[in-house]
Amino acid sequence: MLRKELPFTYSVFALVFINIVVFILQLISGGAIDSFFALTPVDVLNLKIWQIITYSFLHSRYDIFHIIINMYILVMFGLPVEAEWGRKRFIRYYLICALGAGVSIFLLGLFTSPFSSTLGASGAVYGVMLAFALMYPKAQILLFFVVPVSARTMIILYTALELFL
């Protein structure tokens, strides 16, 4: 069971803050920034390589739950991971997860939907959940706020669901 005292950490909350600010900018711009920063495989081929990371700071303007759930999960699992690893290691890991997901989306998208755009922090957030599950595999998580499952079971279920969807 996870019982470690969690210190106040700046990087998890800084990531949440950045995501919220970018979301507000998306709303204010009417989504104009989405076409420049969301990951679109054909755009990356046209040298908009920043999209491989910037997509992870954008969220759907049409589904407020997209950002709410991503940020909730980031705080829930990111705080103990950052407390264990420290700020620098956590940020490096988070960005590597976002980048790895971006490269995967780019490569897959080249063959399936090269003109479709992707946005959201889900790839990085899944990486943080995986780190938590590996560090605390027996920690009890309330799935859907009701069903108690181990962190190991939770990450297996979420991964299966993500692959299915």
Side-chain angles (χ1 to χ4, degrees), residues 88-152:
K88 286 181 183 178
R89 183 175 175 198
F90 177 80
I91 288 290
R92 184 174 42 244
Y93 177 77
Y94 181 88
L95 293 174
I96 287 169
C97 288
L99 184 64
V103 169
S104 298
I105 292 163
F106 165 70
L107 292 173
L108 184 62
L110 281 177
F111 301 104
T112 59
S113 51
F115 296 95
S116 293
S117 295
T118 299
L119 43 76
S122 298
V125 169
Y126 273 102
V128 171
M129 286 191 325
L130 176 61
F132 179 89
L134 291 172
M135 292 166 66
Y136 308 105
K138 295 180 181 180
Q140 290 294 300
I141 308 296
L142 289 178
L143 192 63
F144 307 115
F145 304 103
V146 179
V147 182
V149 297
S150 70
R152 180 184 315 147

Side-chain angles (χ1 to χ4, degrees), residues 63-108:
D63 181 7
I64 188 76
F65 291 108
H66 184 214
I67 189 168
I68 290 172
I69 291 169
N70 271 335
M71 296 305 100
Y72 173 74
I73 292 172
L74 176 58
V75 169
M76 183 173 162
F77 296 106
L79 288 176
V81 172
E82 184 182 1
E84 189 72 34
W85 286 354
R87 190 172 295 127
K88 286 181 183 178
R89 183 175 175 198
F90 177 80
I91 288 290
R92 184 174 42 244
Y93 177 77
Y94 181 88
L95 293 174
I96 287 169
C97 288
L99 184 64
V103 169
S104 298
I105 292 163
F106 165 70
L107 292 173
L108 184 62

